[in-house]
């Protein structure tokens, strides 16, 4: 018998169940059971249905949580701006890779081909992320052959495609490969 769950308000219980569900979705996809979720959350199976109408509603809430851009934007804002250009671009690429890979892995696990309907408006978050990145890179504008905004665009595109296992034909790019391509190009040094 599952021990009685610690009393929580419904919002806290929802959050705890979403947190327990995310790794299970990555492991089992949509085939995850409410029994597995309850065990991972340390609650009785019926507890799930006190705060969610169905397993599908819990899965949708978990996907919504996983696609929330705010933690990623906070990561970008937390990057140290007072580091050399190469280190700064590396930090930006690493943050982008972590975000993209996490989303790609989850989408593959649950059979998604795009963001959940509630996240179709992600363009404004992409613009905000681009602005944060551009602000971080602005002090180095004189060292760049292109405007800062163009460096951000190219870095994001290369990181997205180079981090996606299907687009990259299973040969994803490392942070260093992306940074070197963006900052140094692919031309031989004595050309």
């Amino acid at each position: 018998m599952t021990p009685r769950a610690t009393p929580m308000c419904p919002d806290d219980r929802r959050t705890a169940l979403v947190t327990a569900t995310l790794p299970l979705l990555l492991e089992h996809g949509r085939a995850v059971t409410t029994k597995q979720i309850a065990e991972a959350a340390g609650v009785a199976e019926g507890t799930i249905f006190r705060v969610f109408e169905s397993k599908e509603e819990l899965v949708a809430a978990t996907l919504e949580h996983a696609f929330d851009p705010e933690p990623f934007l906070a990561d970008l804002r937390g990057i140290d701006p007072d580091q050399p250009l190469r280190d700064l671009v590396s930090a930006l690429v690493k943050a982008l890779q972590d975000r993209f890979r996490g989303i790609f892995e989850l989408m593959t696990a649950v059979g998604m081909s795009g963001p959940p309907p509630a996240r179709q408006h992600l363009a404004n978050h992409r613009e905000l992320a681009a602005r944060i990145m551009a602000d971080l890179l602005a002090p180095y504008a004189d060292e760049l052959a292109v405007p800062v905004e163009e460096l951000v665009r190219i870095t994001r595109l290369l990181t997205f495609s180079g981090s996606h296992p299907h687009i990259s034909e299973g040969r994803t790019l490392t942070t260093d490969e992306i940074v070197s391509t963006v900052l140094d190009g692919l031309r031989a040094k004595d050309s």
Side-chain angles (χ1 to χ4, degrees):
M1 175 184 248
T2 305
R4 184 159 173 80
T6 306
M8 291 183 178
C9 73
D11 285 344
D12 290 345
R13 179 64 67 205
R14 287 176 65 85
T15 300
L17 288 166
V18 163
T19 300
T21 302
L22 183 56
L24 294 171
L25 282 177
L26 289 167
E27 184 178 349
H28 303 285
R30 292 183 186 273
V32 66
T33 66
T34 54
K35 181 179 180 183
Q36 291 169 316
I37 294 167
E39 287 175 1
V43 300
E45 199 169 351
T47 302
I48 293 170
F49 301 105
R50 289 191 193 113
V51 291
F52 291 101
E53 291 288 320
S54 64
K55 180 184 100 170
E56 291 73 27
E57 184 182 333
L58 171 55
V59 168
T62 303
L63 293 172
E64 177 70 16
H65 169 75
F67 275 82
D68 180 4
E70 289 307 321
F72 168 65
L73 295 173
D75 288 345
L76 288 179
R77 289 182 189 107
I79 292 175
D80 178 10
D82 298 323
Q83 52 187 318
L85 176 61
R86 184 167 298 274
D87 294 341
L88 179 57
V89 174
S90 291
L92 293 170
V93 168
K94 175 85 171 77
L96 285 166
Q97 285 177 311
D98 290 347
R99 173 69 173 172
F100 292 150
R101 288 177 178 158
I103 293 296
F104 297 153
E105 182 182 4
L106 181 60
M107 289 176 68
T108 299
V110 298
M112 294 175 69
S113 59
R119 290 289 174 201
Q120 296 294 334
H121 65 285
L122 290 175
N124 58 351
H125 291 100
R126 278 192 298 273
E127 291 170 14
L128 182 54
R131 181 79 264 141
I132 294 167
M133 294 171 65
D135 288 347
L136 286 165
L137 292 165
Y140 300 97
D142 292 345
E143 296 179 42
L144 304 174
V146 296
V148 168
E149 291 77 9
E150 185 65 4
L151 178 73
V152 168
R153 186 184 78 79
I154 291 168
T155 300
R156 187 180 179 286
L157 288 172
L158 183 57
T159 305
F160 180 89
S161 60
S163 300
H164 195 292
H166 301 300
I167 295 171
S168 66
E169 300 170 339
R171 297 176 23 212
T172 57
L173 299 174
T174 67
T175 301
D176 289 341
E177 288 171 326
I178 294 168
V179 172
S180 179
T181 301
V182 169
L183 293 181
D184 305 328
L186 296 174
R187 177 179 263 176
K189 299 300 179 211
D190 51 345
S191 294

